[in-house]
Amino acid sequence: QVQLVESGGGLVQPGGSLRLSCAASGRIFSINAMGWYRQAPGKERELVATIISGGTTNYADSVKGRFTISRDNTKNTGYLQMNSLKPEDTAVYYCNAQVYNGYTRQIYWGQGTQVTVSA
Protein backbone atom coordinates (compact mmCIF):
# COMPACT_ATOMS: atom_id res chain seq x y z
CA GLN A 1 0.00 0.00 0.00
CA VAL A 2 1.09 3.56 -0.65
CA GLN A 3 0.24 6.66 1.36
CA LEU A 4 0.43 10.27 0.23
CA VAL A 5 0.51 12.97 2.88
CA GLU A 6 0.15 16.64 1.95
CA SER A 7 1.31 19.50 4.13
CA GLY A 8 1.96 23.22 3.92
CA GLY A 9 -1.54 24.58 3.48
CA GLY A 10 -2.91 27.47 5.47
CA LEU A 11 -4.23 31.01 5.44
CA VAL A 12 -2.32 33.60 3.42
CA GLN A 13 -3.02 37.13 2.25
CA PRO A 14 -3.46 37.93 -1.45
CA GLY A 15 -0.07 38.25 -3.08
CA GLY A 16 1.51 35.89 -0.60
CA SER A 17 3.19 32.53 -1.06
CA LEU A 18 2.82 28.98 0.19
CA ARG A 19 4.74 25.79 -0.49
CA LEU A 20 2.84 22.52 -0.45
CA SER A 21 4.56 19.18 0.03
CA CYS A 22 3.37 15.68 -0.82
CA ALA A 23 5.31 12.84 0.77
CA ALA A 24 4.78 9.33 -0.58
CA SER A 25 5.57 6.25 1.49
CA GLY A 26 5.01 2.51 1.34
CA ARG A 27 5.69 -0.03 -1.40
CA ILE A 28 7.29 2.24 -4.03
CA PHE A 29 9.60 1.11 -6.81
CA SER A 30 9.24 4.31 -8.77
CA ILE A 31 6.88 7.24 -9.19
CA ASN A 32 6.07 7.90 -12.82
CA ALA A 33 4.11 11.11 -12.39
CA MET A 34 2.91 13.40 -9.66
CA GLY A 35 0.20 15.97 -9.82
CA TRP A 36 -1.62 18.62 -7.85
CA TYR A 37 -5.35 19.19 -8.13
CA ARG A 38 -7.68 21.49 -6.27
CA GLN A 39 -11.35 21.67 -5.44
CA ALA A 40 -13.10 24.85 -4.41
CA PRO A 41 -16.50 24.78 -2.66
CA GLY A 42 -19.26 24.00 -5.11
CA LYS A 43 -16.84 23.29 -7.93
CA GLU A 44 -15.38 20.19 -9.51
CA ARG A 45 -11.82 19.08 -8.82
CA GLU A 46 -9.46 20.61 -11.38
CA LEU A 47 -5.91 19.99 -12.48
CA VAL A 48 -3.34 22.48 -11.22
CA ALA A 49 -0.02 21.02 -12.34
CA THR A 50 1.72 17.76 -13.17
CA ILE A 51 5.29 16.56 -13.43
CA ILE A 52 6.47 13.31 -14.98
CA SER A 53 9.57 11.30 -14.19
CA GLY A 54 11.63 13.01 -16.88
CA GLY A 55 10.86 16.41 -15.38
CA THR A 56 8.36 17.67 -17.95
CA THR A 57 5.76 19.87 -16.33
CA ASN A 58 2.27 20.98 -17.23
CA TYR A 59 0.19 23.76 -15.69
CA ALA A 60 -3.35 25.01 -15.76
CA ASP A 61 -3.56 28.36 -17.53
CA SER A 62 -4.84 29.97 -14.35
CA VAL A 63 -1.60 29.26 -12.46
CA LYS A 64 1.06 29.56 -15.17
CA GLY A 65 3.82 31.91 -14.14
CA ARG A 66 2.74 31.83 -10.49
CA PHE A 67 2.98 28.17 -9.43
CA THR A 68 5.93 25.81 -9.81
CA ILE A 69 5.73 22.04 -9.44
CA SER A 70 8.83 20.05 -8.58
CA ARG A 71 9.81 16.70 -7.10
CA ASP A 72 12.65 15.11 -5.17
CA ASN A 73 12.90 11.51 -6.33
CA THR A 74 15.32 10.63 -3.51
CA LYS A 75 12.63 11.50 -0.99
CA ASN A 76 9.56 10.42 -3.01
CA THR A 77 8.22 13.90 -2.38
CA GLY A 78 6.53 16.42 -4.62
CA TYR A 79 6.19 20.15 -4.09
CA LEU A 80 3.99 22.98 -5.30
CA GLN A 81 5.42 26.45 -4.83
CA MET A 82 2.58 28.95 -5.05
CA ASN A 83 3.40 32.64 -5.45
CA SER A 84 1.26 35.72 -6.06
CA LEU A 85 -1.72 33.93 -4.57
CA LYS A 86 -5.21 35.18 -5.36
CA PRO A 87 -8.51 34.70 -3.53
CA GLU A 88 -9.64 32.46 -6.39
CA ASP A 89 -6.82 30.05 -5.52
CA THR A 90 -8.71 29.18 -2.34
CA ALA A 91 -9.46 25.45 -2.39
CA VAL A 92 -8.53 22.09 -0.95
CA TYR A 93 -5.38 20.97 -2.72
CA TYR A 94 -4.80 17.28 -3.40
CA CYS A 95 -1.73 15.54 -4.67
CA ASN A 96 -1.73 12.31 -6.61
CA ALA A 97 0.96 9.98 -7.80
CA GLN A 98 1.20 7.19 -10.33
CA VAL A 99 3.25 4.60 -8.46
CA TYR A 100 4.97 1.50 -9.79
CA ASN A 101 5.43 -1.06 -7.02
CA GLY A 102 7.47 -3.50 -9.10
CA TYR A 103 4.38 -5.30 -10.38
CA THR A 104 1.65 -2.83 -11.22
CA ARG A 105 1.03 0.88 -11.63
CA GLN A 106 -1.65 2.50 -9.52
CA ILE A 107 -2.77 6.03 -8.83
CA TYR A 108 -2.96 7.20 -5.25
CA TRP A 109 -4.42 10.37 -3.73
CA GLY A 110 -3.60 12.32 -0.62
CA GLN A 111 -6.17 13.50 1.89
CA GLY A 112 -5.96 17.15 0.85
CA THR A 113 -4.74 20.35 2.46
CA GLN A 114 -6.73 23.57 2.74
CA VAL A 115 -5.39 26.74 1.14
CA THR A 116 -7.24 29.95 1.94
CA VAL A 117 -6.27 33.25 0.34
CA SER A 118 -7.95 36.12 2.11
CA ALA A 119 -7.22 39.56 3.50
Side-chain angles (χ1 to χ4, degrees), residues 28-109:
I28 299 171
F29 184 83
S30 64
I31 298 177
N32 301 323
M34 298 188 80
W36 288 93
Y37 292 73
R38 66 187 181 186
Q39 187 166 19
K43 295 187 177 181
E44 293 186 354
R45 190 173 297 189
E46 64 175 1
L47 171 70
V48 177
T50 60
I51 183 168
I52 63 175
S53 56
T56 300
T57 57
N58 180 55
Y59 296 92
D61 288 343
S62 59
V63 306
K64 281 181 181 177
R66 300 188 298 122
F67 291 10
T68 302
I69 189 171
S70 61
R71 56 191 288 180
D72 184 337
N73 294 328
T74 65
K75 298 180 180 179
N76 287 330
T77 299
Y79 305 96
L80 185 68
Q81 177 67 43
M82 304 185 295
N83 299 328
S84 302
L85 283 161
K86 305 175 181 179
E88 51 263 44
D89 294 318
T90 296
V92 178
Y93 283 70
Y94 300 89
C95 72
N96 82 348
Q98 185 186 74
V99 176
Y100 179 58
N101 62 11
Y103 300 96
T104 62
R105 287 183 175 84
Q106 286 186 282
I107 294 177
Y108 296 90
W109 288 87

Coordinates of all heavy atoms in Angstrom, one line a residue, residues 28-109:
I28 N 7.0 1.4 -2.9 CA 7.3 2.2 -4.0 C 8.6 1.8 -4.7 O 9.6 1.8 -4.1 CB 7.4 3.7 -3.6 CG1 6.1 4.2 -3.0 CG2 7.8 4.6 -4.8 CD1 6.3 5.6 -2.3
F29 N 8.4 1.4 -6.0 CA 9.6 1.1 -6.8 C 10.0 2.4 -7.6 O 11.2 2.7 -7.7 CB 9.3 0.0 -7.8 CG 10.5 -0.5 -8.6 CD1 11.4 -1.3 -8.1 CD2 10.7 0.0 -9.9 CE1 12.5 -1.7 -8.8 CE2 11.8 -0.4 -10.6 CZ 12.7 -1.3 -10.1
S30 N 9.0 3.0 -8.1 CA 9.2 4.3 -8.8 C 7.9 5.1 -8.9 O 6.9 4.5 -8.8 CB 9.8 4.1 -10.2 OG 8.9 3.5 -11.0
I31 N 8.1 6.4 -9.0 CA 6.9 7.2 -9.2 C 7.0 7.8 -10.6 O 7.9 8.6 -10.9 CB 6.8 8.4 -8.1 CG1 6.7 7.7 -6.7 CG2 5.6 9.3 -8.4 CD1 6.7 8.7 -5.6
N32 N 6.0 7.5 -11.4 CA 6.1 7.9 -12.8 C 5.6 9.4 -13.0 O 6.2 10.1 -13.8 CB 5.2 7.0 -13.7 CG 5.7 5.6 -13.6 OD1 6.8 5.3 -13.5 ND2 4.7 4.7 -13.6
A33 N 4.6 9.7 -12.3 CA 4.1 11.1 -12.4 C 3.5 11.5 -11.1 O 3.0 10.7 -10.3 CB 3.1 11.2 -13.5
M34 N 3.6 12.8 -10.8 CA 2.9 13.4 -9.7 C 2.1 14.6 -10.1 O 2.5 15.3 -11.1 CB 3.9 13.8 -8.6 CG 4.7 12.7 -8.0 SD 5.7 13.2 -6.6 CE 4.5 13.1 -5.3
G35 N 1.0 14.8 -9.4 CA 0.2 16.0 -9.8 C -0.5 16.6 -8.6 O -0.6 16.0 -7.6
W36 N -0.9 17.9 -8.8 CA -1.6 18.6 -7.9 C -3.0 19.0 -8.5 O -3.0 19.5 -9.6 CB -0.9 19.9 -7.4 CG 0.3 19.6 -6.5 CD1 1.6 19.4 -6.9 CD2 0.3 19.4 -5.1 NE1 2.4 19.1 -5.8 CE2 1.6 19.1 -4.7 CE3 -0.7 19.4 -4.1 CZ2 2.0 18.9 -3.4 CZ3 -0.3 19.2 -2.8 CH2 1.0 18.9 -2.5
Y37 N -4.0 18.8 -7.7 CA -5.3 19.2 -8.1 C -5.9 20.0 -7.0 O -5.4 20.0 -5.9 CB -6.2 17.9 -8.4 CG -5.8 17.1 -9.5 CD1 -4.6 16.3 -9.5 CD2 -6.5 17.1 -10.7 CE1 -4.2 15.6 -10.6 CE2 -6.1 16.3 -11.8 CZ -5.0 15.6 -11.7 OH -4.6 14.8 -12.8
R38 N -7.0 20.7 -7.3 CA -7.7 21.5 -6.3 C -9.2 21.5 -6.5 O -9.7 21.3 -7.6 CB -7.2 22.9 -6.2 CG -7.5 23.8 -7.5 CD -6.8 25.1 -7.4 NE -7.1 26.0 -8.6 CZ -6.6 27.1 -8.8 NH1 -5.6 27.6 -8.0 NH2 -6.9 27.8 -9.9
Q39 N -9.9 21.7 -5.4 CA -11.3 21.7 -5.4 C -11.8 22.8 -4.5 O -11.6 22.7 -3.3 CB -11.9 20.3 -5.0 CG -13.4 20.2 -5.2 CD -13.9 18.8 -5.1 OE1 -13.3 17.9 -4.6 NE2 -15.1 18.6 -5.7
A40 N -12.5 23.7 -5.2 CA -13.1 24.8 -4.4 C -14.5 24.5 -4.1 O -15.2 23.6 -4.7 CB -13.1 26.1 -5.2
P41 N -15.1 25.1 -3.0 CA -16.5 24.8 -2.7 C -17.5 25.0 -3.8 O -17.4 26.0 -4.5 CB -16.8 25.8 -1.5 CG -15.5 26.1 -1.0 CD -14.5 26.1 -2.1
G42 N -18.3 23.9 -4.1 CA -19.3 24.0 -5.1 C -18.7 23.8 -6.5 O -19.5 23.9 -7.5
K43 N -17.4 23.5 -6.6 CA -16.8 23.3 -7.9 C -16.2 21.9 -8.0 O -16.0 21.2 -7.0 CB -15.8 24.3 -8.2 CG -16.3 25.8 -8.3 CD -15.2 26.7 -8.7 CE -15.7 28.1 -8.9 NZ -14.7 29.1 -9.3
E44 N -16.0 21.5 -9.3 CA -15.4 20.2 -9.5 C -13.9 20.3 -9.3 O -13.3 21.4 -9.4 CB -15.7 19.7 -10.9 CG -17.1 19.4 -11.2 CD -17.3 18.8 -12.6 OE1 -16.4 18.7 -13.4 OE2 -18.5 18.4 -12.9
R45 N -13.3 19.1 -9.0 CA -11.8 19.1 -8.8 C -11.2 19.4 -10.2 O -11.6 18.9 -11.2 CB -11.4 17.7 -8.3 CG -10.0 17.6 -7.9 CD -9.6 16.3 -7.3 NE -10.4 16.1 -6.0 CZ -10.2 15.0 -5.2 NH1 -9.2 14.2 -5.5 NH2 -10.9 14.9 -4.1
E46 N -10.1 20.2 -10.1 CA -9.5 20.6 -11.4 C -8.0 20.4 -11.3 O -7.4 20.5 -10.2 CB -9.8 22.1 -11.7 CG -9.2 23.1 -10.7 CD -9.4 24.5 -11.1 OE1 -10.0 24.8 -12.2 OE2 -9.0 25.4 -10.4
L47 N -7.4 20.2 -12.4 CA -5.9 20.0 -12.5 C -5.2 21.3 -12.2 O -5.6 22.4 -12.8 CB -5.5 19.5 -13.9 CG -4.0 19.4 -14.2 CD1 -3.4 18.4 -13.3 CD2 -3.8 19.2 -15.7
V48 N -4.2 21.3 -11.4 CA -3.3 22.5 -11.2 C -2.0 22.3 -12.0 O -1.6 23.2 -12.7 CB -3.1 22.7 -9.7 CG1 -2.1 23.9 -9.5 CG2 -4.4 22.9 -9.0
A49 N -1.3 21.2 -11.7 CA 0.0 21.0 -12.3 C 0.4 19.6 -12.2 O -0.1 18.8 -11.3 CB 1.0 21.9 -11.7
T50 N 1.2 19.1 -13.2 CA 1.7 17.8 -13.2 C 3.2 17.8 -13.5 O 3.7 18.7 -14.2 CB 1.0 16.8 -14.2 OG1 1.2 17.4 -15.5 CG2 -0.5 16.7 -13.8
I51 N 3.9 16.7 -13.1 CA 5.3 16.6 -13.4 C 5.5 15.1 -13.6 O 5.1 14.3 -12.8 CB 6.2 17.2 -12.3 CG1 7.7 17.0 -12.8 CG2 6.0 16.5 -11.0 CD1 8.6 17.9 -11.9
I52 N 6.2 14.7 -14.7 CA 6.5 13.3 -15.0 C 7.9 13.0 -14.6 O 8.7 13.9 -14.3 CB 6.2 12.9 -16.4 CG1 7.1 13.7 -17.4 CG2 4.7 13.2 -16.8 CD1 6.9 13.3 -18.9
S53 N 8.3 11.7 -14.7 CA 9.6 11.3 -14.2 C 10.7 12.0 -14.9 O 11.8 12.2 -14.3 CB 9.7 9.8 -14.3 OG 9.5 9.4 -15.6
G54 N 10.6 12.3 -16.2 CA 11.6 13.0 -16.9 C 11.8 14.5 -16.6 O 12.7 15.1 -17.0
G55 N 10.8 15.0 -15.8 CA 10.9 16.4 -15.4 C 10.0 17.3 -16.2 O 9.8 18.5 -15.8
T56 N 9.3 16.8 -17.2 CA 8.4 17.7 -18.0 C 7.2 18.1 -17.1 O 6.6 17.2 -16.4 CB 7.9 16.9 -19.2 OG1 9.0 16.6 -20.0 CG2 6.9 17.8 -20.0
T57 N 6.8 19.3 -17.2 CA 5.8 19.9 -16.3 C 4.6 20.4 -17.2 O 4.8 20.7 -18.4 CB 6.3 21.0 -15.4 OG1 6.8 22.0 -16.2 CG2 7.3 20.5 -14.5
N58 N 3.5 20.5 -16.6 CA 2.3 21.0 -17.2 C 1.5 21.8 -16.2 O 1.4 21.3 -15.0 CB 1.4 19.8 -17.8 CG 0.2 20.3 -18.5 OD1 0.3 21.1 -19.4 ND2 -1.0 19.9 -18.1
Y59 N 0.9 22.9 -16.6 CA 0.2 23.8 -15.7 C -1.2 24.2 -16.3 O -1.3 24.4 -17.5 CB 1.0 25.0 -15.4 CG 2.3 24.8 -14.7 CD1 3.5 24.6 -15.4 CD2 2.4 24.8 -13.3 CE1 4.7 24.4 -14.8 CE2 3.6 24.5 -12.7 CZ 4.7 24.4 -13.4 OH 5.9 24.2 -12.8
A60 N -2.1 24.4 -15.4 CA -3.4 25.0 -15.8 C -3.1 26.5 -16.1 O -2.2 27.1 -15.5 CB -4.4 25.0 -14.6
D61 N -3.8 27.0 -17.1 CA -3.6 28.4 -17.5 C -3.7 29.3 -16.4 O -3.0 30.4 -16.3 CB -4.5 28.7 -18.6 CG -4.2 28.0 -20.0 OD1 -3.1 27.5 -20.1 OD2 -5.1 28.0 -20.8
S62 N -4.6 29.0 -15.4 CA -4.8 30.0 -14.4 C -3.7 30.1 -13.4 O -3.6 31.1 -12.6 CB -6.1 29.5 -13.6 OG -5.9 28.2 -13.1
V63 N -2.7 29.2 -13.4 CA -1.6 29.3 -12.5 C -0.2 29.4 -13.1 O 0.8 29.6 -12.5 CB -1.6 28.0 -11.5 CG1 -2.9 27.8 -10.9 CG2 -1.1 26.8 -12.3
K64 N -0.2 29.4 -14.5 CA 1.1 29.6 -15.2 C 1.7 30.9 -14.8 O 1.1 31.9 -14.7 CB 0.8 29.5 -16.7 CG 0.6 28.1 -17.2 CD 0.4 28.2 -18.7 CE 0.2 26.8 -19.3 NZ -0.1 26.8 -20.8
G65 N 3.0 30.7 -14.5 CA 3.8 31.9 -14.1 C 3.8 32.2 -12.7 O 4.5 33.1 -12.2
R66 N 2.9 31.6 -11.9 CA 2.7 31.8 -10.5 C 3.1 30.6 -9.7 O 3.6 30.7 -8.6 CB 1.3 32.3 -10.1 CG 0.9 33.5 -10.8 CD -0.5 34.0 -10.3 NE -1.5 33.1 -10.5 CZ -2.3 32.5 -9.6 NH1 -2.1 32.9 -8.3 NH2 -3.3 31.7 -9.9
F67 N 2.7 29.4 -10.2 CA 3.0 28.2 -9.4 C 4.1 27.4 -10.1 O 4.3 27.4 -11.3 CB 1.7 27.3 -9.4 CG 0.6 27.8 -8.6 CD1 0.6 29.1 -8.1 CD2 -0.5 27.0 -8.4 CE1 -0.5 29.6 -7.3 CE2 -1.6 27.5 -7.6 CZ -1.6 28.7 -7.1
T68 N 4.9 26.7 -9.3 CA 5.9 25.8 -9.8 C 5.8 24.4 -9.1 O 5.9 24.4 -7.9 CB 7.3 26.4 -9.5 OG1 7.4 27.7 -10.1 CG2 8.4 25.5 -10.1
I69 N 5.7 23.4 -10.0 CA 5.7 22.0 -9.4 C 7.1 21.5 -9.5 O 7.9 21.7 -10.5 CB 4.7 21.2 -10.2 CG1 4.5 19.8 -9.5 CG2 5.1 21.0 -11.7 CD1 3.4 19.0 -10.1
S70 N 7.5 20.7 -8.6 CA 8.8 20.0 -8.6 C 8.7 18.7 -7.8 O 7.7 18.5 -7.2 CB 9.9 21.0 -8.0 OG 9.6 21.3 -6.6
R71 N 9.8 17.9 -7.8 CA 9.8 16.7 -7.1 C 11.2 16.4 -6.7 O 12.2 16.7 -7.4 CB 9.2 15.6 -7.9 CG 9.9 15.3 -9.3 CD 9.1 14.4 -10.2 NE 9.2 13.0 -9.7 CZ 8.6 12.0 -10.3 NH1 7.8 12.2 -11.3 NH2 8.7 10.8 -9.8
D72 N 11.4 15.6 -5.6 CA 12.7 15.1 -5.2 C 12.5 13.6 -5.2 O 11.9 13.0 -4.3 CB 13.0 15.6 -3.8 CG 14.3 15.2 -3.3 OD1 14.9 14.2 -3.8 OD2 14.9 15.9 -2.4
N73 N 13.1 13.0 -6.2 CA 12.9 11.5 -6.3 C 13.6 10.7 -5.2 O 13.2 9.6 -4.9 CB 13.4 11.1 -7.7 CG 12.6 11.6 -8.8 OD1 11.4 11.8 -8.7 ND2 13.3 11.9 -10.0
T74 N 14.6 11.3 -4.6 CA 15.3 10.6 -3.5 C 14.5 10.5 -2.3 O 14.7 9.7 -1.4 CB 16.6 11.3 -3.2 OG1 16.4 12.6 -2.7 CG2 17.5 11.4 -4.4
K75 N 13.5 11.5 -2.2 CA 12.6 11.5 -1.0 C 11.2 11.1 -1.3 O 10.3 11.1 -0.4 CB 12.6 12.9 -0.4 CG 14.0 13.4 0.1 CD 13.9 14.8 0.7 CE 15.2 15.3 1.2 NZ 15.1 16.7 1.7
N76 N 10.9 10.7 -2.6 CA 9.6 10.4 -3.0 C 8.6 11.5 -2.6 O 7.5 11.3 -2.1 CB 9.1 9.1 -2.4 CG 9.8 7.9 -3.1 OD1 10.2 8.0 -4.3 ND2 10.0 6.8 -2.4
T77 N 9.0 12.8 -2.8 CA 8.2 13.9 -2.4 C 8.0 14.9 -3.5 O 9.0 15.1 -4.3 CB 8.9 14.6 -1.2 OG1 9.0 13.7 -0.1 CG2 8.1 15.8 -0.7
G78 N 6.8 15.4 -3.6 CA 6.5 16.4 -4.6 C 6.2 17.7 -3.9 O 5.8 17.8 -2.8
Y79 N 6.4 18.8 -4.7 CA 6.2 20.2 -4.1 C 5.4 21.0 -5.1 O 5.4 20.8 -6.3 CB 7.5 20.8 -3.8 CG 8.5 20.0 -3.0 CD1 9.4 19.2 -3.5 CD2 8.4 20.1 -1.6 CE1 10.3 18.5 -2.7 CE2 9.2 19.4 -0.8 CZ 10.2 18.6 -1.4 OH 11.0 17.8 -0.6
L80 N 4.7 22.0 -4.5 CA 4.0 23.0 -5.3 C 4.3 24.3 -4.7 O 3.8 24.6 -3.6 CB 2.5 22.7 -5.4 CG 1.7 23.7 -6.3 CD1 2.1 23.4 -7.7 CD2 0.2 23.5 -6.1
Q81 N 5.1 25.1 -5.3 CA 5.4 26.5 -4.8 C 4.4 27.4 -5.4 O 4.3 27.5 -6.7 CB 6.8 26.9 -5.2 CG 7.2 28.3 -4.9 CD 7.3 28.5 -3.4 OE1 7.9 27.7 -2.7 NE2 6.8 29.6 -2.9
M82 N 3.7 28.1 -4.6 CA 2.6 29.0 -5.0 C 2.9 30.4 -4.7 O 3.0 30.7 -3.5 CB 1.3 28.5 -4.4 CG 0.9 27.1 -4.7 SD -0.7 26.6 -4.0 CE -0.5 26.8 -2.3
N83 N 3.1 31.2 -5.7 CA 3.4 32.6 -5.5 C 2.3 33.5 -6.0 O 1.4 33.0 -6.8 CB 4.7 33.0 -6.1 CG 5.9 32.2 -5.6 OD1 6.0 31.9 -4.4 ND2 6.8 32.0 -6.5
S84 N 2.3 34.8 -5.6 CA 1.3 35.7 -6.1 C -0.1 35.1 -5.9 O -0.9 35.2 -6.9 CB 1.5 36.1 -7.5 OG 2.8 36.7 -7.6
L85 N -0.4 34.6 -4.8 CA -1.7 33.9 -4.6 C -2.9 34.9 -4.7 O -2.8 36.1 -4.2 CB -1.7 33.2 -3.2 CG -0.9 31.9 -3.3 CD1 -0.6 31.4 -1.9 CD2 -1.8 30.8 -4.0
K86 N -4.0 34.4 -5.2 CA -5.2 35.2 -5.4 C -6.3 34.5 -4.6 O -6.3 33.3 -4.3 CB -5.6 35.2 -6.9 CG -4.5 35.8 -7.8 CD -4.9 35.7 -9.2 CE -3.8 36.1 -10.2 NZ -4.2 36.0 -11.6
P87 N -7.4 35.3 -4.2 CA -8.5 34.7 -3.5 C -9.1 33.5 -4.3 O -9.6 32.5 -3.7 CB -9.5 35.9 -3.4 CG -8.6 37.1 -3.4 CD -7.5 36.8 -4.3
E88 N -9.1 33.6 -5.6 CA -9.6 32.5 -6.4 C -8.8 31.2 -6.3 O -9.2 30.2 -6.9 CB -9.9 32.9 -7.8 CG -8.7 33.5 -8.5 CD -8.7 35.0 -8.5 OE1 -9.1 35.6 -7.4 OE2 -8.4 35.7 -9.5
D89 N -7.6 31.3 -5.7 CA -6.8 30.1 -5.5 C -7.3 29.3 -4.3 O -6.8 28.2 -4.0 CB -5.3 30.4 -5.4 CG -4.7 31.0 -6.6 OD1 -5.0 30.5 -7.7 OD2 -4.0 32.0 -6.5
T90 N -8.2 29.8 -3.5 CA -8.7 29.2 -2.3 C -9.4 27.9 -2.7 O -10.3 27.8 -3.6 CB -9.7 30.1 -1.6 OG1 -9.0 31.3 -1.1 CG2 -10.3 29.4 -0.4
A91 N -8.9 26.8 -2.1 CA -9.5 25.4 -2.4 C -8.8 24.4 -1.5 O -7.8 24.8 -0.8 CB -9.2 25.1 -3.9
V92 N -9.3 23.2 -1.5 CA -8.5 22.1 -1.0 C -7.6 21.6 -2.1 O -8.1 21.3 -3.2 CB -9.5 21.0 -0.4 CG1 -8.7 19.8 0.1 CG2 -10.4 21.5 0.6
Y93 N -6.4 21.4 -1.8 CA -5.4 21.0 -2.7 C -5.0 19.5 -2.4 O -4.7 19.1 -1.3 CB -4.1 21.8 -2.7 CG -4.3 23.2 -3.4 CD1 -5.1 24.2 -2.8 CD2 -3.7 23.5 -4.6 CE1 -5.3 25.4 -3.4 CE2 -3.9 24.7 -5.2 CZ -4.7 25.6 -4.6 OH -4.9 26.8 -5.3
Y94 N -5.1 18.7 -3.5 CA -4.8 17.3 -3.4 C -3.6 16.9 -4.3 O -3.5 17.4 -5.4 CB -6.0 16.5 -3.9 CG -7.3 16.7 -3.1 CD1 -8.2 17.7 -3.5 CD2 -7.6 15.9 -2.0 CE1 -9.4 17.9 -2.8 CE2 -8.8 16.0 -1.3 CZ -9.6 17.0 -1.7 OH -10.8 17.2 -1.0
C95 N -2.8 16.1 -3.8 CA -1.7 15.5 -4.7 C -2.1 14.1 -5.1 O -2.8 13.4 -4.4 CB -0.4 15.6 -4.0 SG -0.1 14.4 -2.7
N96 N -1.6 13.7 -6.2 CA -1.7 12.3 -6.6 C -0.4 11.9 -7.2 O 0.4 12.7 -7.6 CB -2.9 12.1 -7.5 CG -2.7 12.4 -9.0 OD1 -1.7 13.0 -9.3 ND2 -3.6 12.0 -9.8
A97 N -0.3 10.6 -7.3 CA 1.0 10.0 -7.8 C 0.6 8.7 -8.5 O -0.2 7.9 -8.0 CB 2.0 9.8 -6.7
Q98 N 1.3 8.5 -9.6 CA 1.2 7.2 -10.3 C 2.4 6.4 -9.9 O 3.6 6.7 -10.3 CB 1.2 7.4 -11.8 CG 1.0 6.1 -12.6 CD 1.1 6.3 -14.1 OE1 2.2 6.5 -14.6 NE2 0.0 6.3 -14.8
V99 N 2.2 5.3 -9.1 CA 3.2 4.6 -8.5 C 3.4 3.2 -9.1 O 2.4 2.5 -9.3 CB 3.0 4.5 -7.0 CG1 4.1 3.6 -6.3 CG2 2.9 5.9 -6.3
Y100 N 4.6 2.9 -9.3 CA 5.0 1.5 -9.8 C 5.6 0.8 -8.6 O 6.6 1.2 -8.0 CB 5.9 1.5 -11.0 CG 6.4 0.2 -11.5 CD1 5.4 -0.7 -11.9 CD2 7.7 -0.2 -11.5 CE1 5.8 -2.0 -12.4 CE2 8.1 -1.4 -12.0 CZ 7.1 -2.3 -12.5 OH 7.5 -3.5 -12.9
N101 N 5.0 -0.3 -8.2 CA 5.4 -1.1 -7.0 C 6.3 -2.3 -7.4 O 6.6 -3.1 -6.5 CB 4.3 -1.5 -6.2 CG 3.3 -2.5 -6.9 OD1 3.7 -3.0 -7.9 ND2 2.2 -2.7 -6.3
G102 N 6.7 -2.4 -8.6 CA 7.5 -3.5 -9.1 C 6.6 -4.5 -9.8 O 7.2 -5.4 -10.5
Y103 N 5.3 -4.4 -9.7 CA 4.4 -5.3 -10.4 C 3.3 -4.6 -11.2 O 3.0 -4.9 -12.3 CB 3.7 -6.2 -9.3 CG 4.7 -7.0 -8.6 CD1 5.1 -6.6 -7.3 CD2 5.1 -8.2 -9.1 CE1 6.0 -7.4 -6.6 CE2 6.0 -9.0 -8.3 CZ 6.5 -8.6 -7.1 OH 7.4 -9.3 -6.4
T104 N 2.7 -3.6 -10.6 CA 1.7 -2.8 -11.2 C 1.8 -1.3 -11.0 O 2.6 -0.9 -10.1 CB 0.3 -3.2 -10.7 OG1 0.2 -2.9 -9.3 CG2 0.0 -4.7 -10.9
R105 N 1.1 -0.6 -11.8 CA 1.0 0.9 -11.6 C -0.4 1.2 -11.1 O -1.4 0.8 -11.6 CB 1.3 1.6 -12.9 CG 2.7 1.6 -13.4 CD 2.9 2.4 -14.7 NE 4.3 2.4 -15.1 CZ 5.0 1.5 -15.8 NH1 4.3 0.4 -16.1 NH2 6.2 1.6 -16.1
Q106 N -0.4 2.1 -10.1 CA -1.6 2.5 -9.5 C -1.6 4.0 -9.2 O -0.5 4.5 -9.0 CB -2.0 1.7 -8.2 CG -2.4 0.3 -8.5 CD -2.9 -0.4 -7.2 OE1 -2.1 -0.8 -6.4 NE2 -4.2 -0.5 -7.0
I107 N -2.7 4.6 -9.2 CA -2.8 6.0 -8.8 C -3.3 6.2 -7.4 O -4.3 5.5 -7.0 CB -3.7 6.8 -9.8 CG1 -3.0 6.8 -11.2 CG2 -3.9 8.2 -9.3 CD1 -3.9 7.5 -12.3
Y108 N -2.6 7.0 -6.6 CA -3.0 7.2 -5.3 C -3.2 8.7 -5.0 O -2.6 9.5 -5.7 CB -1.8 6.7 -4.3 CG -1.6 5.3 -4.4 CD1 -0.7 4.7 -5.2 CD2 -2.3 4.4 -3.5 CE1 -0.5 3.4 -5.3 CE2 -2.1 3.0 -3.6 CZ -1.2 2.5 -4.5 OH -0.9 1.2 -4.5
W109 N -4.1 9.0 -4.1 CA -4.4 10.4 -3.7 C -4.1 10.6 -2.3 O -4.3 9.8 -1.4 CB -5.9 10.6 -4.0 CG -6.3 10.7 -5.4 CD1 -6.6 9.6 -6.2 CD2 -6.4 11.8 -6.2 NE1 -6.9 10.1 -7.5 CE2 -6.8 11.4 -7.5 CE3 -6.2 13.2 -6.0 CZ2 -7.0 12.3 -8.6 CZ3 -6.3 14.1 -7.0 CH2 -6.7 13.7 -8.3

